[in-house]
Amino acid sequence: MTRHSDPTQVQLTADGRLKHFLTTEGLSKDLLTEILDLADSFISTQERAVKKVPLLRGKTVVNLFFENSTRTRSTFELAAKRLSADILNLDIARSATSKGETLMDTLWNLEAMYSDMFVVRHADSGAAHFIAEQVTPGVAIINAGDGRHAHPTQAMLDMLTIRRHKGTLEGQTVAIVGDILHSRVARSQIHALHTLGAKEIRVIGPATLVPKEMEELGAKIYFDMEQGLAGVDVVIMLRLQKERMSDALLPSEGEYFKLYGLTEAKLALAKPDAIVMHPGPINRGVEIDSAVADGDQSVILNQVSYGIAVRMAVMAMAMSGQAAEQAAQKNESQETTGDDA
Amino acid sequence: MTSSATALPDAEALCQQLSSDIKQLIAEKELKQPLLIGIRTGGAWLAQRLQQSLELPELGILDISFYRDDFDERGLATQAKGSELPDSIEDRAIILVDDVLMSGRTIRAAMNEIFDYGRPTSIHLVSLLDIGQRQLPIQADLVGASITINPEQKIKLSGPNPLQLSIG
């Protein structure tokens, strides 16, 4: 997909507010912190009798999933509903595009239905960015995962999880374990961890699944899990896609578990109060042992709850940025046309 | 008229006066389980002071950022902090506290939010200042003082200690 501009700039208004959410790369510490602070307050509104707030009342959000992901789609759907928006779920993987309609034709049709926000999941890296460049001003785009590039809401919910369980991101040593090569989450996490002041980021996995470029992003590479886990505060396990076995990148599930599966014995090498995270759905006995997944140090289910709050926060902020930009442009055009009205 | 021409009352004195007025209100209306709820930021400071002087066990703080009606014009306030209310406000007699009552839109938003937490028995409204310019049919039960200012002027309460009114 052709990129015409810097994704960091496309997602910000002239005065630096979020208007799309495409990537964590290049966003300032203040802005990432604003997302986390707002998400914190949405955690508290969800604990009430009425879980909804009327912030996006009357707005229409379209879940545009070119790639299936029931869990991510459901949390975006709940987030939109708890902001009082109307939501339409489109499973494009099985509809229009398979009939030959182009990406932009699909989008323009949906725009004609007065949609205000698209949540986009696509197998191609850069898809959400491409759409953000083409879409009518006033419509917000949220990236729900594009190819191997980014999955920024997942990364931000992981940041929120660390902040809520460790108090701060600053000074933390974080290990990301598993299939780094195919992981859009790992890239988004590394950018966010850096910006938010993590002390050390380690990536752990087999040489076939850990690309050398991770060093350029500022992460330390470990092929030995025992060494990599020593003294860490946070362990983030990645899901092992079963199709990687058929790609001959891995010997077998059993072999993988022996080397890179998180067991109680391996976790004991991390700090005693280390937390264990996983974006889900987990493969028990492949990348993580049941005893660890269900253990005291696991915060895997907390991540799910925080995921809704983080998605509410970025949806509210992007819609807010769009609203402010539209209002500013309206004022400007009124000024240039004079005060006849 | 210059801004200095409008004399502003002493916020600390108004706060003391409101405290005794609220005490009287609670007695007269026989309010059971009264709960002070202050609207961020100025109203919350004021409510905190009133809670101390009235020796009430609890205090609620309301952040109406998610309930404002000007989202399409202004977007979201960057400092939205969320509300902190007791576990249940069911059957409580709420005394809603704000610093400056003007259009009435803040109070409408606050009441909408309160009802998303539960069903209180009653809501009374207390405001340090009433500066008129109402756009909604909302009136306070108790006000510290009523004054008139130019529509383009803005009144600000700084605090929490001491509470001080300024105009700009």
Side-chain angles (χ1 to χ4, degrees):
Chain A
M1 219 156 271
T2 332
R3 291 201 202 165
H4 305 286
S5 56
D6 174 5
T8 305
Q9 291 316 310
V10 172
Q11 59 188 345
L12 298 176
T13 63
D15 58 352
R17 300 172 67 162
L18 203 65
K19 63 170 180 174
H20 302 294
F21 191 46
L22 307 175
T23 173
T24 52
E25 188 179 355
L27 290 182
S28 69
K29 186 175 184 178
D30 282 352
L31 203 112
L32 294 185
T33 306
E34 191 185 331
I35 295 174
L36 297 180
D37 290 348
L38 192 58
D40 262 332
S41 44
F42 283 131
I43 288 176
S44 64
T45 63
Q46 291 183 86
E47 289 164 352
R48 309 182 312 196
V50 177
K51 298 182 180 69
K52 282 160 109 78
V53 294
L55 211 50
L56 298 191
R57 195 164 54 95
K59 300 275 190 277
T60 301
V61 176
V62 180
N63 261 340
L64 205 53
F65 277 54
F66 294 91
E67 207 182 53
N68 288 331
S69 172
T70 313
R71 180 176 315 220
T72 304
R73 203 198 57 207
S74 310
T75 53
F76 270 110
E77 184 176 347
L78 265 183
K81 285 179 171 166
R82 290 189 181 158
L83 291 167
S84 302
D86 296 310
I87 178 127
L88 177 67
N89 281 311
L90 274 188
D91 209 345
I92 301 289
R94 280 183 237 145
S95 73
T97 42
S98 55
K99 294 177 189 155
E101 194 178 48
T102 71
L103 177 61
M104 286 319 295
D105 280 329
T106 304
L107 201 77
W108 284 319
N109 270 280
L110 291 164
E111 265 188 19
M113 300 177 199
Y114 301 104
S115 305
D116 298 290
M117 181 184 291
F118 292 107
V119 178
V120 182
R121 159 75 66 114
H122 201 288
D124 289 344
S125 300
H129 176 203
F130 174 77
I131 292 172
E133 285 176 323
Q134 309 288 327
V135 82
T136 307
V139 177
I141 305 297
I142 308 289
N143 186 1
D146 61 328
R148 293 185 191 182
H149 173 243
H151 192 356
T153 57
Q154 176 69 43
M156 288 313 290
L157 83 84
D158 293 331
M159 298 308 114
L160 185 66
T161 308
I162 298 173
R163 198 174 80 165
R164 287 183 71 92
H165 289 269
K166 292 273 153 201
T168 174
L169 269 302
E170 307 224 358
Q172 307 289 344
T173 300
V174 180
I176 306 170
V177 187
D179 180 1
I180 311 288
L181 177 66
H182 299 94
S183 175
R184 49 191 163 211
V185 184
R187 279 173 183 74
S188 292
Q189 283 168 338
I190 293 170
H191 290 304
L193 282 168
H194 249 300
T195 309
L196 291 167
K199 186 174 96 188
E200 195 180 322
I201 305 160
R202 303 177 183 176
V203 290
I204 307 172
T208 47
L209 295 180
V210 181
K212 196 95 176 86
E213 64 175 82
M214 288 298 139
E215 275 176 348
E216 287 154 34
L217 297 181
K220 281 191 191 167
I221 295 176
Y222 289 81
F223 301 121
D224 181 301
M225 194 170 180
E226 273 84 4
Q227 282 176 14
L229 288 184
V232 301
D233 300 288
V234 178
V235 186
I236 301 176
M237 300 303 297
L238 297 176
R239 178 179 161 75
L240 187 72
Q241 313 281 343
K242 304 236 176 175
E243 55 270 27
R244 302 300 168 227
M245 309 286 174
S246 50
D247 296 346
L249 290 169
L250 285 174
S252 71
E253 281 182 17
E255 186 80 358
Y256 182 83
F257 183 70
K258 211 158 84 188
L259 291 170
Y260 298 104
L262 188 63
T263 58
E264 285 180 313
K266 284 187 203 142
L267 181 58
L269 299 167
K271 287 208 183 125
D273 61 349
I275 54 170
V276 175
M277 295 163 52
H278 190 299
I282 58 176
N283 291 317
R284 289 172 186 264
V286 178
E287 70 256 351
I288 190 164
D289 195 19
S290 276
V292 176
D294 306 329
D296 291 343
Q297 286 166 271
S298 164
V299 294
I300 296 172
L301 289 177
N302 301 70
Q303 287 175 268
V304 181
S305 317
Y306 303 154
I308 298 173
V310 159
R311 284 165 184 139
M312 288 172 78
V314 296
M315 285 171 139
M317 282 171 68
M319 211 65 257
S320 165
Q322 292 286 354
E325 192 176 69
Q326 290 298 302
Q329 278 167 8
K330 209 165 121 193
N331 285 344
E332 227 168 73
S333 66
Q334 270 169 0
E335 273 164 29
T336 50
T337 52
D339 289 328
D340 305 30
Chain B
M1 192 173 84
T2 59
S3 59
S4 57
T6 311
L8 288 174
D10 174 19
E12 289 290 336
L14 291 185
C15 180
Q16 272 180 26
Q17 179 206 323
L18 277 178
S19 174
S20 61
D21 290 350
I22 293 172
K23 207 169 186 170
Q24 208 178 339
L25 178 88
I26 292 172
E28 270 175 19
K29 304 256 180 182
E30 296 176 15
L31 300 182
K32 303 221 165 51
Q33 284 194 284
L35 172 66
L36 285 172
I37 296 182
I39 301 173
R40 263 195 228 283
T41 319
W45 293 331
L46 185 60
Q48 205 161 12
R49 297 284 285 278
L50 292 169
Q51 180 216 5
Q52 283 163 5
S53 69
L54 291 162
E55 296 175 339
L56 292 170
E58 286 170 309
L59 175 71
I61 306 287
L62 211 55
D63 187 323
I64 59 144
S65 304
F66 305 146
Y67 287 77
R68 297 184 66 98
D69 60 7
D70 55 0
F71 182 78
D72 282 341
E73 288 84 52
R74 294 175 36 173
L76 196 60
T78 46
Q79 63 278 41
K81 283 196 193 122
S83 302
E84 296 157 32
L85 259 58
D87 287 341
S88 173
I89 58 158
E90 237 19 64
D91 302 326
R92 301 292 296 268
I94 288 174
I95 300 168
L96 186 58
V97 181
D98 202 7
D99 48 4
V100 181
L101 178 60
M102 197 175 82
S103 68
R105 287 174 191 271
T106 301
I107 306 305
R108 182 212 61 95
M111 287 199 289
N112 282 12
E113 179 165 5
I114 286 171
F115 277 84
D116 279 351
Y117 280 87
R119 183 182 184 274
T121 328
S122 61
I123 300 179
H124 287 88
L125 177 60
V126 173
S127 182
L128 196 66
L129 275 191
D130 184 343
I131 58 168
Q133 303 172 42
R134 209 78 81 241
Q135 294 166 356
L136 296 175
I138 283 172
Q139 300 303 336
D141 296 279
L142 296 173
V143 289
S146 297
I147 61 165
T148 315
I149 58 164
N150 286 338
E152 63 270 18
Q153 289 180 311
K154 273 206 156 41
I155 294 214
K156 198 174 154 247
L157 180 69
S158 52
N161 228 335
L163 295 171
Q164 200 163 13
L165 287 163
S166 58
I167 192 163

